[in-house]
Amino acid sequence: MQKGPKPAELTLREEEQKGLEALVRRHTTPQQLAKRGRMILAAAEGKRNAEIARELGVSVDTVRSWRGRWISLQAVPLTELSVAVRLMDVPRPGKPSQITAEQRCQMVAMACEQPKERPISHWTGREIADEVMRRGILPKISPRHAARVLKKGISSRI
């Protein structure tokens, strides 16, 4: 006996099924999209969210979210919204970063240097912000934001 509420039913049209299978098999498909495609295919097989989550190593909320999103987009023809586009992230709210990848790299490189002309043993948020503006890397940055940028480093969220 399966536990939990029965998830929303997801039925694929033939062209959706073929599109998803092709996307999942393609070697050039980003892994995130392929995983989402597998979620939709598994949901169409009648699997429950918890089962899909266990099989794919994601949270039940993630499966529920992508199942709901796919169902909500099914009214839009594939000619207007491809399978791949349906599985992409939506833009995040908030103002996009004004700091370029190059500026971020310059900040990280600067922070890796030993503070030369300053009588300090290590960089603080204030020292970093002052030096970034002095070197012209950025015209203006707060100490808190400078510290956050460096704490994040050159991670995947540039």
Side-chain angles (χ1 to χ4, degrees):
M1 185 77 178
Q2 294 182 359
K3 295 184 272 183
K6 189 166 169 49
E9 191 175 327
L10 192 152
T11 308
L12 294 175
R13 294 188 294 278
E14 187 179 344
E15 65 269 17
E16 291 173 325
Q17 179 88 25
K18 286 180 180 176
L20 282 164
E21 288 171 353
L23 181 107
V24 168
R25 276 195 312 265
R26 197 174 306 127
H27 294 290
T28 56
T29 300
Q31 287 304 298
Q32 200 171 30
L33 290 187
K35 188 175 274 191
R36 292 170 186 168
R38 286 188 202 94
M39 284 182 217
I40 301 306
L41 289 168
E45 291 173 9
K47 293 183 179 180
R48 291 184 177 257
N49 294 340
E51 184 181 359
I52 297 168
R54 264 193 316 278
E55 286 176 5
L56 297 177
V58 297
S59 74
V60 175
D61 287 341
T62 299
V63 177
R64 186 180 306 114
S65 168
W66 283 104
R67 179 190 293 259
R69 181 156 166 204
W70 184 270
I71 291 168
S72 71
L73 293 173
Q74 279 189 301
V76 180
L78 281 177
T79 53
E80 290 180 31
L81 200 62
S82 72
V83 167
V85 173
R86 292 170 194 237
L87 297 175
M88 288 183 183
D89 279 326
V90 294
R92 306 263 182 206
K95 185 177 178 183
S97 178
Q98 300 297 302
I99 301 174
T100 67
E102 185 178 341
Q103 289 167 324
R104 189 178 301 270
C105 288
Q106 288 174 336
M107 288 177 66
V108 170
M110 183 203 79
C112 290
E113 297 171 7
Q114 190 65 31
K116 291 182 187 125
E117 301 160 12
R118 296 170 180 264
I120 57 173
S121 59
H122 65 279
W123 293 106
T124 64
R126 164 70 52 210
E127 295 288 339
I128 291 165
D130 289 347
E131 188 66 13
V132 163
M133 291 184 290
R134 189 186 73 71
R135 292 187 186 189
I137 296 171
L138 290 169
K140 189 167 169 62
I141 188 167
S142 72
R144 182 168 162 77
H145 191 60
R148 266 198 316 264
V149 167
L150 290 175
K151 187 174 184 179
K152 197 184 287 186
I154 52 173
S155 73
S156 61
R157 287 259 166 148
I158 289 180

